[in-house]
Amino acid sequence: MKPYAERRARLLAQMERGSVAVLPTAPEVLRNGDSDYPYRFDSSFHYLSGFGEPEAVLVLVAERGDAPAHSILFCREKNEEREIWDGFRHGPDAAREAFGFDIAHPIAALDEQMAQLLANATTLYCPMGRNAAQDAQVRGWLESVRKQARSGVVPPSSLRDVLPMIEEMRLLKDATEQAIMLRAGQISGAAHARAMRATRPGKFEYEIEAELLYEFRRNGAQFPAYTPIVASGANSCILHYNANNRRMQDGELVLIDAGCELDGYASDITRTFPVNGRFSGPQRDLYELVLAAQKAALDAIQPGKPYSAMHDAALRVLAQGMLDFGLVDRNLSATVDDVITNKRHLRFYMHGTGHWLGMDVHDTGAYRDVTQAERPSRPLQPGMAVTVEPGIYVRPAEGVPEAFWNIGIRIEDDIVVAPDGYQLLTGSAPKTVADIEALMREA
Ligand code: GLY
Ligand code: MN
Ligand code: MN
């Protein structure tokens, strides 16, 4: 309960006097017939509330006159019949107690309460332009306040998007969050080790996906953080491949990008290894190149250094490797700078080297300082969590050495920026050629 109350207080401290913020959680989504997708709360709502039930809205009321700032939860009422079918509901009273809100009301009271709370409020902070139904609901509240005009009541004169404020808070992970993310990383790392042990020629990709999901769930992770990628052979060069239905062959690599979500926090790991447990010469060459690129990227992570430094560092290593292995044309006596300036690396390395990681796998927060005209990459700060994920993907093509065809490699780890560098969250997933081969030999 404590981190949530603290986060609400920090958001309230940024709000104008006399203002109100409103933040709904995510809706339930029908999959088909009577079946919903597994319910997942809205990340920003949960960040501030800790409350996981659907049909809930958080309202924060800033100081106004003599009235102190306070928080209100709107949620589903207790309902014996619905609880027999669908399970436990807190109901407003228990939710207020359990999550430390000042006030809680049934969700059915939201419209009436908002019409009162917005009377003479200065600013309304809410999600803006994300969802037509929510925008219409806000318009309805403002209309209700305008109808009270003859009694001297005015609606808020400004609307502001509340989400960027919360998203910037979410970018810096507090101690509670870092502890959950470390555990998520450990579980996902163990799942990758399990996948390596289980892999052998003749198995299907989905059999390995099942091993990953089993390891996530048996350790208490509620979901995969995203659809797992188990991509063998030529599939390893398809960045978002997730059919996972091919039979793996001797002599191929398999690229696995999979991470669990634990208590609302994502992990995101990629490992690439030989289906038969032994890297071939060309596989090892490119693997060592990507590993060196990842090391260069990790070495570039320091508080105060720009976020973009890790990509620049990884790209230089990869570009040099592309020259050394003849992936980009050597006849031009090209340099690393030529390769990068002419974007010739993009054919083999077409994505960035990472992203913010947190409640969302591609987490919130700006990557650039938009207050400056040239929009520089923002400096890293302790508490920021990022993935570090260089790769190389060689599709068959004329002029590209055949030995490397259909080799796709990515190595992805998760880190939190620390005062003296970074903390690795995903060290339990084997990564060196020697460690991977040893693990697979023993399996
Ligand atoms: N698994 C998503 C990503 O690596 O960005
Ligand atoms: Mn990633
Ligand atoms: Mn990934």
Side-chain angles (χ1 to χ4, degrees):
M1 153 173 150
K2 199 149 178 271
Y4 306 109
E6 268 168 25
R7 293 171 196 161
R8 293 195 290 269
R10 277 196 281 134
L11 181 60
L12 275 161
Q14 296 171 54
M15 290 165 52
E16 205 182 317
R17 263 185 86 81
S19 66
V20 175
V22 55
L23 184 66
T25 193
E28 293 168 292
V29 183
L30 189 68
R31 183 167 184 268
N32 59 36
D34 285 336
S35 297
D36 284 342
Y37 284 100
Y39 182 68
R40 170 58 157 73
F41 45 72
D42 176 80
S43 296
S44 289
F45 172 86
H46 196 271
Y47 177 79
L48 293 173
S49 68
F51 191 69
E53 294 181 26
E55 298 185 82
V57 175
L58 173 67
V59 176
L60 298 180
V61 183
E63 255 177 42
R64 191 189 305 188
D66 295 335
H70 56 279
S71 60
I72 309 173
L73 179 76
F74 293 85
C75 67
R76 300 183 304 193
E77 289 194 89
K78 297 292 291 174
N79 179 322
E80 192 180 352
E81 197 197 339
R82 286 319 323 160
E83 290 184 59
I84 288 170
W85 286 89
D86 300 331
F88 175 77
R89 302 175 168 199
H90 278 85
D93 291 338
R96 190 190 63 240
E97 276 289 304
F99 299 91
F101 302 104
D102 298 301
I103 300 171
H105 292 300
I107 186 73
L110 180 68
D111 287 342
E112 181 200 325
Q113 288 289 318
M114 286 307 293
Q116 291 178 26
L117 288 165
L118 292 181
N120 297 327
T122 51
T123 294
L124 170 59
Y125 298 86
C126 59
M128 282 171 60
R130 316 262 172 167
N131 170 318
Q134 276 172 24
D135 289 348
Q137 196 175 30
V138 169
R139 217 193 65 189
W141 298 334
L142 296 175
E143 267 174 18
S144 317
V145 183
R146 276 184 224 109
K147 280 189 193 141
Q148 307 167 50
R150 260 169 282 162
S151 43
V153 163
V154 289
S157 58
S158 67
L159 280 182
R160 283 190 55 191
D161 194 352
V162 71
L163 291 181
M165 298 163 77
I166 306 168
E167 289 169 358
E168 276 299 298
M169 291 170 63
R170 281 174 50 191
L171 180 55
L172 296 181
K173 276 70 185 176
D174 60 32
T176 307
E177 297 180 286
Q178 290 186 31
I180 301 171
M181 291 184 73
L182 177 59
R183 178 82 188 121
Q186 286 167 340
I187 294 170
S188 296
H192 278 261
R194 183 185 191 94
M196 288 174 191
R197 274 188 229 108
T199 296
R200 50 192 49 92
K203 280 203 178 179
F204 282 90
E205 293 164 342
Y206 53 70
E207 294 180 73
I208 307 309
E209 179 183 359
E211 299 286 342
L212 294 158
L213 296 175
Y214 175 72
E215 191 68 22
F216 293 165
R217 198 67 186 111
R218 72 189 279 271
N219 283 293
Q222 291 84 357
F223 306 104
Y226 51 92
T227 306
I229 295 170
V230 183
S232 63
N235 292 338
S236 62
C237 297
I238 304 171
L239 295 177
H240 291 166
Y241 173 80
N242 60 22
N244 300 352
N245 60 4
R246 179 175 174 275
R247 197 191 282 276
M248 301 181 289
Q249 310 289 324
D250 198 6
E252 297 173 344
L253 291 177
V254 56
L255 180 158
I256 298 182
D257 185 344
C260 68
E261 180 179 303
L262 177 71
D263 299 343
Y265 287 81
S267 55
D268 183 7
I269 302 182
T270 307
R271 289 291 182 265
T272 310
F273 55 93
V275 168
N276 65 12
R278 291 275 305 165
F279 284 87
S280 72
Q283 290 168 353
R284 179 187 301 247
D285 285 344
L286 291 192
Y287 190 85
E288 295 286 8
L289 172 64
V290 176
L291 197 57
Q294 201 209 32
K295 180 170 187 317
L298 288 165
D299 289 345
I301 294 174
Q302 282 284 338
K305 275 207 183 183
Y307 164 79
S308 58
M310 68 169 187
H311 179 66
D312 296 343
L315 183 52
R316 294 195 75 77
V317 173
L318 291 170
Q320 182 63 56
M322 290 174 200
L323 287 166
D324 294 345
F325 292 124
L327 295 176
V328 292
D329 193 351
R330 271 185 294 199
N331 298 335
L332 305 172
S333 57
T335 63
V336 164
D337 287 313
D338 297 333
V339 172
I340 294 172
T341 308
N342 297 316
K343 301 191 189 313
R344 290 167 66 211
H345 61 278
L346 283 179
R347 187 175 183 196
F348 306 105
Y349 184 43
M350 59 298 275
H351 59 74
T353 300
H355 48 82
W356 305 137
L357 179 74
M359 299 192 79
D360 301 347
V361 65
H362 289 188
D363 206 33
T364 56
Y367 286 89
R368 291 174 178 278
D369 180 352
V370 294
T371 63
Q372 298 190 46
E374 63 280 19
R375 298 177 158 239
S377 182
R378 73 192 285 180
L380 295 175
Q381 286 171 249
M384 290 176 169
V386 293
T387 66
V388 185
E389 51 177 307
I392 197 160
Y393 312 90
V394 186
R395 301 174 79 102
E398 211 176 310
V400 174
E402 204 169 330
F404 298 122
W405 286 8
N406 295 321
I407 295 181
I409 294 169
R410 180 164 62 256
I411 304 173
E412 175 173 29
D413 283 289
D414 305 340
I415 64 99
V416 181
V417 180
D420 56 353
Y422 63 85
Q423 180 191 12
L424 180 65
L425 303 176
T426 48
S428 57
K431 184 160 69 170
T432 63
V433 166
D435 285 352
I436 291 171
E437 290 189 344
L439 181 84
M440 294 185 73
R441 227 180 359 256
E442 287 155 20

